[in-house]
Amino acid sequence: MNKPTDNRHPLHELLRDRWSPRAFSDRMIENDKLASLFEAARWSPSGANLQPWGFLFVTKEDSQAHAKLVTTLTERNQRWASNVPLLILTLARRTSEDGRENPWAGYDLGQSVAHLTVQAVSLGLSVHQMGGFDAERARAAFDVPEGHDPVTVVAVGYPGNPDDLPEEFRQREQDPRKRREIEEFVFENRWNNPYRPAVLEPAGGTDPTRN
């Protein structure tokens, strides 16, 4: 299922096609594609090149480890994510090797996951990121040492059939995507002075950047 953006300005197709479904196929991700995801994360930018990210993944090939991570999710997330073949626990290393605090660790982790997400879309995969989980339970379940903070759980897999979802999620899967307009969050020269980019339309009257 595709849900491209209703973008007002040009977007790369990988950004246009990215969205966060809950319907995933049970098809396993091939090893070369799995490695490609983490290679993309590896080459993300980071402050002072500290690369303060970590990833702990489980697949349904190890049903015990997979179930262990699923149990850290909120009950609502468990109802759909338990079927996803790949789950990734993302981690931020808050201090550098010399013991200094890194205030940008979470920011850099987010960039790394964004790179992973775009790479996933290029491989025909879907990604859904979740903040709804018990971080301390995940830390204990997987022996994560202090200094490495669990931040999110990321579901990755091939697109599935929305009809296979619990009823409460099916409509949301079909709903159109929505975003605030640029002028609501981008300001020019001073705060609360909205940036209002022009939307250029061709002579035919339709906007080719809208899909």
Side-chain angles (χ1 to χ4, degrees):
M1 176 180 172
N2 294 321
K3 284 209 315 189
T5 60
D6 177 22
N7 48 293
R8 273 59 171 173
H9 307 279
L11 277 181
H12 192 285
E13 62 181 12
L14 295 179
L15 300 176
R16 184 193 66 207
D17 294 342
R18 184 221 62 81
W19 67 292
S20 302
R22 291 180 174 84
F24 287 83
S25 165
D26 60 4
R27 174 183 170 186
M28 296 299 298
I29 297 173
E30 297 84 350
N31 287 332
D32 60 333
K33 292 188 177 182
L34 180 63
S36 182
L37 297 178
F38 294 120
E39 185 72 4
R42 175 185 176 220
W43 287 102
S44 171
S46 68
N49 200 28
L50 292 176
Q51 305 165 56
W53 46 74
F55 301 95
L56 190 156
F57 76 90
V58 298
T59 72
K60 296 200 80 170
E61 289 182 331
D62 187 331
S63 59
Q64 184 175 7
H66 188 275
K68 190 160 54 171
L69 186 51
V70 168
T71 62
T72 72
L73 302 176
T74 62
E75 182 181 353
R76 180 176 174 81
N77 282 334
Q78 287 184 37
R79 289 200 285 273
W80 63 268
S82 60
N83 297 317
V84 181
L86 171 64
L87 297 174
I88 305 170
L89 178 66
T90 74
L91 305 151
R93 190 175 68 249
R94 302 290 184 182
T95 56
S96 58
E97 292 182 359
D98 61 7
R100 289 184 295 177
E101 183 178 355
N102 180 2
W104 301 285
Y107 179 89
D108 288 345
L109 171 63
Q111 292 196 90
S112 185
V113 175
H115 275 59
L116 181 153
T117 299
V118 173
Q119 184 68 12
V121 175
S122 78
L123 298 172
L125 300 169
S126 296
V127 176
H128 189 116
Q129 302 175 51
M130 295 172 279
F133 79 110
D134 188 324
E136 290 310 309
R137 185 172 181 178
R139 179 191 298 280
F142 294 97
D143 300 319
V144 176
E146 291 297 327
H148 297 260
D149 294 343
V151 178
T152 59
V153 176
V154 180
V156 186
Y158 285 96
N161 185 345
D163 291 339
D164 294 336
L165 286 170
E167 184 175 355
E168 63 183 304
F169 300 122
R170 290 177 201 158
Q171 184 57 51
R172 291 194 63 178
E173 207 78 352
Q174 307 287 343
D175 289 342
R177 300 171 61 186
K178 298 178 181 178
R179 285 295 188 275
R180 291 187 295 154
E181 298 296 337
I182 288 177
E183 55 264 32
E184 296 183 55
F185 62 90
V186 180
F187 307 117
E188 184 175 6
N189 296 327
R190 60 180 174 81
W191 184 257
N192 213 28
N193 181 44
Y195 167 55
R196 303 184 188 278
V199 177
L200 301 178
E201 298 194 11
T206 59
D207 182 354
T209 67
R210 298 195 185 192
N211 296 279

